[in-house]
């Protein structure tokens, strides 16, 4: 794969939406890099980037305990108050994170007052989070605090086996997800780049 193709993929899958003060923080559940995710969320809360944080994630990966509970407990230990947390414990995919999470937020906040969200999630999944929000919770001003737990700089994603696998795996699924209306393209962003022979970067 050419350097140009690698850059097109990186620009599309990991767009820059710098974190900004928002009406809501939204941490997408994970079993990977939990400490890094919680430290990022705690830092944003300390900086006043949000007052309420939605943590969405159910009992995934064969684990009985919901991702939201694991992350929530860690955030409490770091000093985020329980009153700041909204835990959604049933979602098992990104669409459910947004749909179930939105419903859970509605139990605690006036949805009409939420006009902006700062996303905390895996760097390699940035595009999917934003496109899923665009599909299931449109109209929000979106920003992102991407968490890179791979141990290499983002610009070297293609040199790290797991990082490369995750980015290319997600890149390959986007057209089907768009066709199924799981996702919507993000307003103002470049469309999906049409590449050939991108399966194995060199």
């Amino acid at each position: 794969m050419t350097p140009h193709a690698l850059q097109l993929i990186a620009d599309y899958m990991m767009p820059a939406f710098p974190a900004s003060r928002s009406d809501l923080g939204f941490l997408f559940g994970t079993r990977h890099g939990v400490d890094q995710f919680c430290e990022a969320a705690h830092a944003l809360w300390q900086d006043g980037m949000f007052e309420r944080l939605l943590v969405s994630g159910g009992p995934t990966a064969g684990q009985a305990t919901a991702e939201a509970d694991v992350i929530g407990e860690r955030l409490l230990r770091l000093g985020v108050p329980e009153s700041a947390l909204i835990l959604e414990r049933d979602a098992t995919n990104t669409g459910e994170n947004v749909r179930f999470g939105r419903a859970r937020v509605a139990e605690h906040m006036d949805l009409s007052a939420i006009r902006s969200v700062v996303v905390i999630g895996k760097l390699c999944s940035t595009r999917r989070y934003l496109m899923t929000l665009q599909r299931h919770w449109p109209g929000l001003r979106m920003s992102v605090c991407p968490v890179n737990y791979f141990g290499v700089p983002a610009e070297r994603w293609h040199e790290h086996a797991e990082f490369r696998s995750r980015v290319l795996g997600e890149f390959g699924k986007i057209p089907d997800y768009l066709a199924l209306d799981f996702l919507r393209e993000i307003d103002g962003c470049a469309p999906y780049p049409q590449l050939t022979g991108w399966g194995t970067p060199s």
Side-chain angles (χ1 to χ4, degrees), residues 88 97-108 111 137:
E88 186 290 305
N97 286 138
V98 177
R99 290 186 287 110
F100 296 175
R102 188 173 188 266
R104 186 76 172 123
V105 169
E107 298 174 10
H108 297 266
L111 286 182
W137 200 343

Side-chain angles (χ1 to χ4, degrees), residues 2-13 157 171 193-195:
T2 67
H4 179 63
L6 292 171
Q7 190 62 54
L8 286 175
I9 291 172
D11 290 346
Y12 183 82
M13 295 305 300
W157 65 271
F171 182 72
Q194 300 301 315
L195 304 174

Side-chain angles (χ1 to χ4, degrees), residues 31 102 109 129 164:
R31 301 285 179 187
R102 188 173 188 266
M109 302 174 69
Y129 298 138
R164 179 177 66 245

